[in-house]
Amino acid sequence: MVAVIAIDGPSGSGKSTVAHLVAEKQGWFYLNTGAMYRAVGLYLADNNIPCDDSAVKEEMLEAVDVDFDEEGRILLNKKDISGRILTPEAARHASDYSKLSAVRKLMTALQRKIGLSRPSVVEGRDIGTVVFPDADHKFFIVASPEERARRRYLQLKEKDPKTTITIEEILRRQQERDKQDAERALAPLKQAEDAILVDTTEKTIDEVVEEIMGRL
Ligand code: DC
């Protein structure tokens, strides 16, 4: 098997930033699977498709082409949608539609195909448990709910200084999404038995990256 480092955890745990930097240091491909679920979620929501297994069939998803360009930007049917995927709405659609069996089946197959085409750092919720259970290294990244909400707030504020969203509102949505991601029947968010737990609450990004690099 081609080398894979699996990095899982809830949103705001710092896993995306850390996974990206570890990939850079290794000179490996960075695969953000959350971005893929956000892309499919946006497609289905834009087309007003109800969020249930009877409405979302595998055949229908043949029309959805999710890919990355050379710079790692997410493409939906060849169009760069990286500007849209970071919104709270995209996050909610991703969490909602990622419960569906056809969506998970398609995304898991695509993630395996992309991840196995070159050494990769793969980031998500179910990478160490379902997508790459035989990954060379597995990490599960966590942080306190308050710290995660604070980080998400700063991120949104930086992107849109006029945003009126509050930390309390982010915390509320985050709790909903965590619950939905951890309690769903298919590939829920959970630590693989052989994953190393890293709590980033009181650590800087550099400290976390160093900790992970030291374990490879
Ligand atoms: O990592 P993220 O916040 O961009 O992920 C958005 C949603 O996508 C998340 O709430 C659950 C879903 N997701 C998933 O089910 N499995 C993954 N491997 C990655 C994301």
Side-chain angles (χ1 to χ4, degrees):
M1 191 176 113
V2 176
V4 168
I5 298 175
I7 301 190
D8 289 302
S11 65
S13 56
K15 68 181 187 320
S16 300
T17 314
V18 166
H20 197 197
L21 288 170
V22 170
E24 221 169 69
K25 282 191 188 282
Q26 293 284 93
W28 290 8
F29 185 67
Y30 163 57
L31 179 55
N32 177 350
T33 64
M36 297 170 73
Y37 283 102
R38 285 169 186 252
V40 181
L42 281 172
Y43 173 89
L44 294 169
D46 284 352
N47 287 284
N48 299 312
I49 311 289
C51 185
D52 59 65
D53 281 315
S54 55
V56 181
K57 296 284 184 206
E58 279 178 54
E59 308 82 73
M60 169 204 282
L61 293 177
E62 279 167 16
V64 190
D65 174 22
V66 174
D67 205 354
F68 293 90
D69 69 10
E70 288 301 311
E71 276 78 43
R73 282 183 296 253
I74 181 91
L75 305 177
L76 172 61
N77 291 337
K78 311 276 178 241
K79 206 167 141 228
D80 176 5
I81 52 154
S82 45
R84 279 188 76 201
I85 61 163
L86 277 181
T87 60
E89 288 66 37
R92 191 168 46 79
H93 295 320
S95 183
D96 288 346
Y97 286 105
S98 67
K99 285 184 296 197
L100 305 183
S101 111
V103 171
R104 291 221 79 81
K105 194 165 166 198
L106 179 80
M107 288 298 104
T108 302
L110 194 52
Q111 288 156 15
R112 287 186 181 140
K113 186 166 159 228
I114 299 175
L116 291 178
S117 65
R118 64 206 118 165
S120 304
V121 177
V122 188
E123 180 235 303
R125 302 288 189 292
D126 60 340
I127 309 306
T129 50
V130 173
V131 184
F132 290 113
D134 298 325
D136 306 74
H137 301 279
K138 298 182 188 179
F139 297 91
F140 195 75
I141 315 278
V142 297
S144 73
E146 294 74 20
E147 175 60 16
R148 289 164 46 212
R150 192 187 69 85
R151 290 174 187 169
R152 190 58 93 209
Y153 175 76
L154 293 178
Q155 219 178 36
L156 290 173
K157 199 84 189 161
E158 191 185 334
K159 206 164 162 277
D160 173 15
K162 290 201 204 87
T163 183
T164 53
I165 196 155
T166 61
I167 295 198
E168 290 70 31
E169 176 60 12
I170 293 176
L171 193 57
R172 194 186 59 73
R173 292 187 195 179
Q174 179 181 280
Q175 273 160 350
E176 266 173 27
R177 206 145 70 84
D178 280 357
K179 188 168 171 347
Q180 172 155 273
D181 293 346
E183 290 181 357
R184 69 176 177 228
L186 297 173
L189 166 68
K190 82 164 191 261
Q191 183 179 351
E193 277 176 17
D194 51 349
I196 296 172
L197 181 70
V198 181
D199 187 334
T200 69
T201 308
E202 296 190 357
K203 291 180 188 142
T204 64
I205 294 289
D206 287 349
E207 284 169 340
V208 180
V209 171
E210 208 173 294
E211 188 174 331
I212 290 181
M213 295 301 291
R215 301 276 201 152
L216 301 182

